Short mmCIF file of all heavy atoms in Angstrom, two decimals:
data_model
loop_
_atom_site.label_atom_id
_atom_site.label_comp_id
_atom_site.label_asym_id
_atom_site.label_seq_id
_atom_site.Cartn_x
_atom_site.Cartn_y
_atom_site.Cartn_z
N TYR A 172 -11.24 10.55 -29.79
CA TYR A 172 -11.22 11.25 -31.08
C TYR A 172 -10.75 12.70 -30.98
O TYR A 172 -10.23 13.26 -31.94
CB TYR A 172 -12.62 11.19 -31.71
CG TYR A 172 -13.66 11.97 -30.94
CD1 TYR A 172 -13.94 13.29 -31.25
CD2 TYR A 172 -14.37 11.38 -29.90
CE1 TYR A 172 -14.89 14.02 -30.54
CE2 TYR A 172 -15.32 12.09 -29.19
CZ TYR A 172 -15.58 13.40 -29.51
OH TYR A 172 -16.51 14.11 -28.79
N TYR A 173 -10.91 13.30 -29.81
CA TYR A 173 -10.58 14.73 -29.65
C TYR A 173 -9.15 14.94 -29.17
O TYR A 173 -8.73 16.07 -28.97
CB TYR A 173 -11.55 15.38 -28.65
CG TYR A 173 -11.58 14.71 -27.29
CD1 TYR A 173 -10.62 15.00 -26.32
CD2 TYR A 173 -12.55 13.76 -27.00
CE1 TYR A 173 -10.64 14.37 -25.09
CE2 TYR A 173 -12.58 13.12 -25.76
CZ TYR A 173 -11.63 13.43 -24.82
OH TYR A 173 -11.66 12.80 -23.60
N GLN A 174 -8.37 13.88 -28.98
CA GLN A 174 -7.08 13.98 -28.33
C GLN A 174 -5.93 13.64 -29.28
O GLN A 174 -6.12 12.92 -30.27
CB GLN A 174 -7.05 13.03 -27.12
CG GLN A 174 -5.89 13.23 -26.16
CD GLN A 174 -5.86 14.60 -25.54
OE1 GLN A 174 -5.35 15.54 -26.15
NE2 GLN A 174 -6.43 14.73 -24.34
N THR A 175 -4.74 14.15 -28.98
CA THR A 175 -3.53 13.83 -29.74
C THR A 175 -2.43 13.42 -28.76
O THR A 175 -2.55 13.65 -27.55
CB THR A 175 -3.03 15.02 -30.58
OG1 THR A 175 -2.75 16.12 -29.71
CG2 THR A 175 -4.08 15.43 -31.61
N VAL A 176 -1.36 12.85 -29.28
CA VAL A 176 -0.22 12.50 -28.46
C VAL A 176 0.42 13.79 -27.94
O VAL A 176 0.60 14.75 -28.70
CB VAL A 176 0.82 11.68 -29.26
CG1 VAL A 176 2.07 11.41 -28.45
CG2 VAL A 176 0.19 10.37 -29.72
N PRO A 177 0.76 13.87 -26.66
CA PRO A 177 1.32 15.11 -26.12
C PRO A 177 2.72 15.40 -26.65
O PRO A 177 3.45 14.49 -27.06
CB PRO A 177 1.36 14.86 -24.61
CG PRO A 177 1.40 13.38 -24.47
CD PRO A 177 0.60 12.83 -25.61
N LYS A 178 3.09 16.67 -26.60
CA LYS A 178 4.45 17.11 -26.95
C LYS A 178 5.07 17.80 -25.74
O LYS A 178 4.37 18.36 -24.90
CB LYS A 178 4.41 18.06 -28.14
CG LYS A 178 3.90 17.40 -29.42
CD LYS A 178 3.99 18.35 -30.61
CE LYS A 178 3.53 17.66 -31.88
NZ LYS A 178 3.67 18.53 -33.08
N ASP A 179 6.41 17.76 -25.67
CA ASP A 179 7.07 18.45 -24.57
C ASP A 179 7.20 19.94 -24.90
O ASP A 179 6.74 20.40 -25.96
CB ASP A 179 8.41 17.80 -24.22
CG ASP A 179 9.49 18.03 -25.27
OD1 ASP A 179 9.33 18.88 -26.17
OD2 ASP A 179 10.53 17.34 -25.21
N ILE A 180 7.82 20.71 -24.02
CA ILE A 180 7.87 22.16 -24.20
C ILE A 180 8.75 22.58 -25.36
O ILE A 180 8.71 23.73 -25.79
CB ILE A 180 8.31 22.87 -22.91
CG1 ILE A 180 9.71 22.41 -22.49
CG2 ILE A 180 7.31 22.67 -21.81
CD1 ILE A 180 10.30 23.25 -21.36
N THR A 181 9.56 21.66 -25.90
CA THR A 181 10.37 21.98 -27.08
C THR A 181 9.64 21.62 -28.37
O THR A 181 10.17 21.86 -29.46
CB THR A 181 11.71 21.22 -27.04
OG1 THR A 181 11.48 19.82 -27.29
CG2 THR A 181 12.40 21.40 -25.70
N GLY A 182 8.46 21.02 -28.25
CA GLY A 182 7.70 20.60 -29.42
C GLY A 182 7.94 19.16 -29.83
O GLY A 182 7.37 18.69 -30.82
N GLU A 183 8.76 18.44 -29.07
CA GLU A 183 9.02 17.04 -29.40
C GLU A 183 7.84 16.15 -29.00
O GLU A 183 7.32 16.27 -27.89
CB GLU A 183 10.28 16.54 -28.71
CG GLU A 183 10.59 15.07 -28.99
CD GLU A 183 11.83 14.60 -28.28
OE1 GLU A 183 12.86 15.28 -28.39
OE2 GLU A 183 11.77 13.55 -27.60
N THR A 184 7.45 15.27 -29.89
CA THR A 184 6.37 14.34 -29.60
C THR A 184 6.83 13.31 -28.58
O THR A 184 7.90 12.72 -28.71
CB THR A 184 5.91 13.62 -30.87
OG1 THR A 184 5.47 14.58 -31.83
CG2 THR A 184 4.76 12.65 -30.56
N MET A 185 6.03 13.11 -27.55
CA MET A 185 6.36 12.13 -26.52
C MET A 185 5.94 10.73 -26.96
O MET A 185 5.24 10.56 -27.97
CB MET A 185 5.65 12.49 -25.21
CG MET A 185 6.04 13.84 -24.64
SD MET A 185 5.34 14.07 -22.97
CE MET A 185 5.51 15.84 -22.78
N ARG A 186 6.39 9.74 -26.20
CA ARG A 186 6.02 8.35 -26.46
C ARG A 186 5.34 7.76 -25.24
O ARG A 186 5.61 8.15 -24.10
CB ARG A 186 7.26 7.53 -26.82
CG ARG A 186 7.83 7.90 -28.19
CD ARG A 186 9.15 7.22 -28.47
NE ARG A 186 9.05 5.78 -28.58
CZ ARG A 186 10.06 5.00 -28.96
NH1 ARG A 186 11.24 5.53 -29.25
NH2 ARG A 186 9.90 3.69 -29.03
N LEU A 187 4.44 6.83 -25.50
CA LEU A 187 3.73 6.17 -24.40
C LEU A 187 4.69 5.28 -23.63
O LEU A 187 5.27 4.34 -24.18
CB LEU A 187 2.57 5.33 -24.93
CG LEU A 187 1.78 4.58 -23.85
CD1 LEU A 187 0.96 5.55 -23.01
CD2 LEU A 187 0.89 3.50 -24.46
N LEU A 188 4.84 5.57 -22.36
CA LEU A 188 5.64 4.73 -21.47
C LEU A 188 4.77 3.61 -20.88
O LEU A 188 5.18 2.45 -20.85
CB LEU A 188 6.24 5.57 -20.34
CG LEU A 188 7.07 4.81 -19.31
CD1 LEU A 188 8.40 4.36 -19.91
CD2 LEU A 188 7.31 5.69 -18.08
N ALA A 189 3.58 3.97 -20.42
CA ALA A 189 2.71 2.99 -19.79
C ALA A 189 1.26 3.42 -19.90
O ALA A 189 0.95 4.61 -19.90
CB ALA A 189 3.09 2.80 -18.32
N GLN A 190 0.40 2.43 -19.99
CA GLN A 190 -1.04 2.64 -19.98
C GLN A 190 -1.65 1.63 -19.02
O GLN A 190 -1.42 0.42 -19.14
CB GLN A 190 -1.62 2.47 -21.38
CG GLN A 190 -3.14 2.57 -21.44
CD GLN A 190 -3.65 2.63 -22.87
OE1 GLN A 190 -3.51 3.65 -23.55
NE2 GLN A 190 -4.24 1.53 -23.34
N ILE A 191 -2.41 2.12 -18.04
CA ILE A 191 -3.03 1.26 -17.04
C ILE A 191 -4.55 1.38 -17.17
O ILE A 191 -5.11 2.48 -17.02
CB ILE A 191 -2.61 1.66 -15.61
CG1 ILE A 191 -1.09 1.66 -15.47
CG2 ILE A 191 -3.27 0.73 -14.59
CD1 ILE A 191 -0.44 0.31 -15.68
N ASN A 192 -5.20 0.28 -17.48
CA ASN A 192 -6.66 0.22 -17.51
C ASN A 192 -7.11 -0.34 -16.16
O ASN A 192 -6.93 -1.52 -15.87
CB ASN A 192 -7.13 -0.67 -18.66
CG ASN A 192 -8.63 -0.64 -18.83
OD1 ASN A 192 -9.38 -0.44 -17.87
ND2 ASN A 192 -9.11 -0.84 -20.06
N PHE A 193 -7.68 0.51 -15.32
CA PHE A 193 -7.99 0.11 -13.95
C PHE A 193 -9.06 -0.98 -13.87
O PHE A 193 -9.15 -1.67 -12.84
CB PHE A 193 -8.40 1.33 -13.12
CG PHE A 193 -7.24 2.17 -12.70
CD1 PHE A 193 -6.98 3.38 -13.33
CD2 PHE A 193 -6.39 1.76 -11.69
CE1 PHE A 193 -5.90 4.16 -12.96
CE2 PHE A 193 -5.30 2.52 -11.32
CZ PHE A 193 -5.05 3.73 -11.94
N ALA A 194 -9.83 -1.16 -14.92
CA ALA A 194 -10.81 -2.25 -14.92
C ALA A 194 -10.13 -3.61 -14.93
O ALA A 194 -10.76 -4.63 -14.61
CB ALA A 194 -11.74 -2.11 -16.12
N GLU A 195 -8.84 -3.65 -15.28
CA GLU A 195 -8.10 -4.91 -15.38
C GLU A 195 -7.33 -5.27 -14.11
O GLU A 195 -6.80 -6.37 -14.02
CB GLU A 195 -7.12 -4.84 -16.56
CG GLU A 195 -7.77 -4.61 -17.90
CD GLU A 195 -6.77 -4.37 -19.01
OE1 GLU A 195 -5.56 -4.26 -18.71
OE2 GLU A 195 -7.19 -4.27 -20.16
N ILE A 196 -7.23 -4.34 -13.16
CA ILE A 196 -6.37 -4.60 -12.01
C ILE A 196 -7.22 -4.90 -10.78
O ILE A 196 -8.38 -4.46 -10.68
CB ILE A 196 -5.41 -3.43 -11.73
CG1 ILE A 196 -6.12 -2.27 -11.04
CG2 ILE A 196 -4.75 -2.95 -13.01
CD1 ILE A 196 -5.17 -1.21 -10.55
N PRO A 197 -6.69 -5.65 -9.81
CA PRO A 197 -7.41 -5.86 -8.55
C PRO A 197 -7.66 -4.53 -7.86
O PRO A 197 -6.91 -3.57 -8.03
CB PRO A 197 -6.44 -6.73 -7.73
CG PRO A 197 -5.52 -7.35 -8.73
CD PRO A 197 -5.39 -6.36 -9.84
N ILE A 198 -8.73 -4.48 -7.09
CA ILE A 198 -9.05 -3.24 -6.37
C ILE A 198 -7.97 -2.96 -5.33
O ILE A 198 -7.58 -3.84 -4.57
CB ILE A 198 -10.43 -3.35 -5.69
CG1 ILE A 198 -11.53 -3.44 -6.75
CG2 ILE A 198 -10.67 -2.15 -4.78
CD1 ILE A 198 -12.91 -3.67 -6.18
N ILE A 199 -7.48 -1.73 -5.32
CA ILE A 199 -6.50 -1.28 -4.35
C ILE A 199 -6.99 0.05 -3.78
O ILE A 199 -7.43 0.93 -4.53
CB ILE A 199 -5.08 -1.16 -4.98
CG1 ILE A 199 -4.08 -0.64 -3.94
CG2 ILE A 199 -5.09 -0.32 -6.23
CD1 ILE A 199 -2.63 -0.69 -4.42
N GLN A 200 -6.93 0.18 -2.48
CA GLN A 200 -7.50 1.32 -1.79
C GLN A 200 -6.99 2.64 -2.34
O GLN A 200 -5.80 2.80 -2.59
CB GLN A 200 -7.21 1.23 -0.29
CG GLN A 200 -7.90 2.29 0.55
CD GLN A 200 -7.64 2.13 2.03
OE1 GLN A 200 -6.70 1.43 2.43
NE2 GLN A 200 -8.46 2.73 2.86
N ASN A 201 -7.90 3.58 -2.54
CA ASN A 201 -7.65 4.96 -2.98
C ASN A 201 -7.47 5.10 -4.48
O ASN A 201 -7.56 6.23 -5.00
CB ASN A 201 -6.43 5.57 -2.27
CG ASN A 201 -6.58 5.60 -0.76
OD1 ASN A 201 -7.69 5.74 -0.24
ND2 ASN A 201 -5.47 5.44 -0.05
N PHE A 202 -7.22 4.02 -5.20
CA PHE A 202 -7.02 4.10 -6.65
C PHE A 202 -8.36 3.97 -7.38
O PHE A 202 -9.30 3.38 -6.85
CB PHE A 202 -6.05 3.01 -7.11
CG PHE A 202 -4.61 3.29 -6.81
CD1 PHE A 202 -4.11 3.14 -5.53
CD2 PHE A 202 -3.75 3.72 -7.80
CE1 PHE A 202 -2.78 3.40 -5.24
CE2 PHE A 202 -2.41 3.99 -7.53
CZ PHE A 202 -1.93 3.82 -6.26
N PRO A 203 -8.44 4.50 -8.60
CA PRO A 203 -9.68 4.31 -9.38
C PRO A 203 -9.96 2.83 -9.62
O PRO A 203 -9.06 1.99 -9.60
CB PRO A 203 -9.36 5.03 -10.70
CG PRO A 203 -8.26 5.98 -10.38
CD PRO A 203 -7.44 5.31 -9.32
N THR A 204 -11.22 2.52 -9.88
CA THR A 204 -11.61 1.15 -10.21
C THR A 204 -11.94 1.01 -11.70
O THR A 204 -12.18 -0.09 -12.18
CB THR A 204 -12.83 0.71 -9.38
OG1 THR A 204 -13.91 1.64 -9.59
CG2 THR A 204 -12.48 0.68 -7.90
N GLN A 205 -11.94 2.12 -12.40
CA GLN A 205 -12.14 2.09 -13.84
C GLN A 205 -11.46 3.31 -14.45
O GLN A 205 -11.01 4.20 -13.74
CB GLN A 205 -13.62 2.07 -14.20
CG GLN A 205 -14.37 3.31 -13.75
CD GLN A 205 -15.85 3.27 -14.14
OE1 GLN A 205 -16.36 2.24 -14.56
NE2 GLN A 205 -16.54 4.39 -13.98
N GLY A 206 -11.38 3.32 -15.78
CA GLY A 206 -10.70 4.40 -16.47
C GLY A 206 -9.29 4.01 -16.88
O GLY A 206 -8.76 2.98 -16.45
N ILE A 207 -8.70 4.83 -17.72
CA ILE A 207 -7.35 4.58 -18.24
C ILE A 207 -6.42 5.71 -17.81
O ILE A 207 -6.73 6.88 -17.98
CB ILE A 207 -7.37 4.46 -19.78
CG1 ILE A 207 -7.93 3.08 -20.19
CG2 ILE A 207 -5.99 4.66 -20.37
CD1 ILE A 207 -7.99 2.85 -21.68
#
């Protein structure tokens, strides 16, 4: 609720390229096991 889509240094709104929910992926060493 407190966040907005980021903008670049020119003020242009960025677009989501990828979102990874770590709760959905197999455990891999050094990477988080939860969070987005």
Side-chain angles (χ1 to χ4, degrees):
Y172 67 92
Y173 56 83
Q174 193 61 276
T175 60
V176 175
K178 296 185 178 183
D179 72 13
I180 60 170
T181 72
E183 179 181 310
T184 301
M185 299 188 197
R186 290 173 65 173
L187 179 71
L188 178 71
Q190 175 170 287
I191 305 297
N192 187 330
F193 283 104
E195 300 172 354
I196 77 170
I198 293 175
I199 178 172
Q200 187 177 17
N201 301 328
F202 284 76
T204 57
Q205 63 180 11
I207 284 180

